[in-house]
Amino acid sequence: MGNLTLDDAALKQLVDAFYARVRADEVLGPIFNPAIGDWGEHLEKLTAFWSSVMLSSGRYKGQPVPAHLKHRDHMNPANFDRWLGLWCEVTGELMQPDVAAQLQAKAERIAESLQLATSFRMPP
Ligand code: HEM
């Protein structure tokens, strides 16, 4: 059980730890490693994303749906479950339990909407 409270420094630590685990994962690593050119930039972007989601900071200016559409072949329920499994582990290890639960619930809702948004096919 972790003890970090919700602030930008904790979110940076969380995002770094989460993507370290993603990169080492046998299923998700081979998806992310070739897709991300600059990991420093990705980690900053994802810290800004979570800061916007959890702290309403407005730091993230991006469009998650088009970003994931580029990788739609990998956007399947098994991969989302794996992503969420790692997110649960790392949030649980680092964050206070109530904060971990909030982060997990948010990620589940965002994952659902990303799965929906990337599952439509244009008619031929
Ligand atoms: C970006 C994969 C789930 C949030 C990316 C990128 C990849 C990726 C490859 C880089 C996109 C690029 O080429 O520019 C995946 C996979 C997932 C997953 C395989 C699960 C199957 C999620 C979830 C969230 C999330 C659940 C949020 C809770 C983001 C954000 C970006 C991103 C914010 C940055 C988008 C931007 O460029 O502004 N993801 N992702 N992803 N992902 Fe995911």
Side-chain angles (χ1 to χ4, degrees), residues 31-32 35-36 42 45-46 49-50 60 62-64 67-68 70-71 74-75 79-80 83 107 110-111 114:
I31 300 171
F32 278 85
I36 308 294
H42 185 73
K45 192 191 285 183
L46 268 291
F49 172 78
W50 281 105
Y60 174 72
Q63 295 189 312
H68 291 90
K70 284 194 279 176
H71 304 280
H74 300 299
M75 298 297 144
N79 287 347
F80 275 104
W83 192 108
I110 297 166
L114 280 177

Side-chain angles (χ1 to χ4, degrees), residues 22-89:
V22 164
R23 297 187 71 176
D25 185 78
E26 62 182 83
V27 175
L28 298 179
I31 300 171
F32 278 85
N33 286 316
I36 308 294
D38 181 339
W39 275 96
E41 192 181 292
H42 185 73
L43 297 172
E44 285 305 323
K45 192 191 285 183
L46 268 291
T47 304
F49 172 78
W50 281 105
S51 169
S52 288
V53 169
M54 302 304 293
L55 302 168
S56 304
S57 67
R59 282 180 52 203
Y60 174 72
K61 310 239 182 287
Q63 295 189 312
V65 171
H68 291 90
L69 280 173
K70 284 194 279 176
H71 304 280
R72 71 186 314 161
D73 291 351
H74 300 299
M75 298 297 144
N76 57 53
N79 287 347
F80 275 104
D81 281 354
R82 198 155 180 110
W83 192 108
L84 288 167
L86 291 182
W87 184 251
C88 279
E89 277 176 31

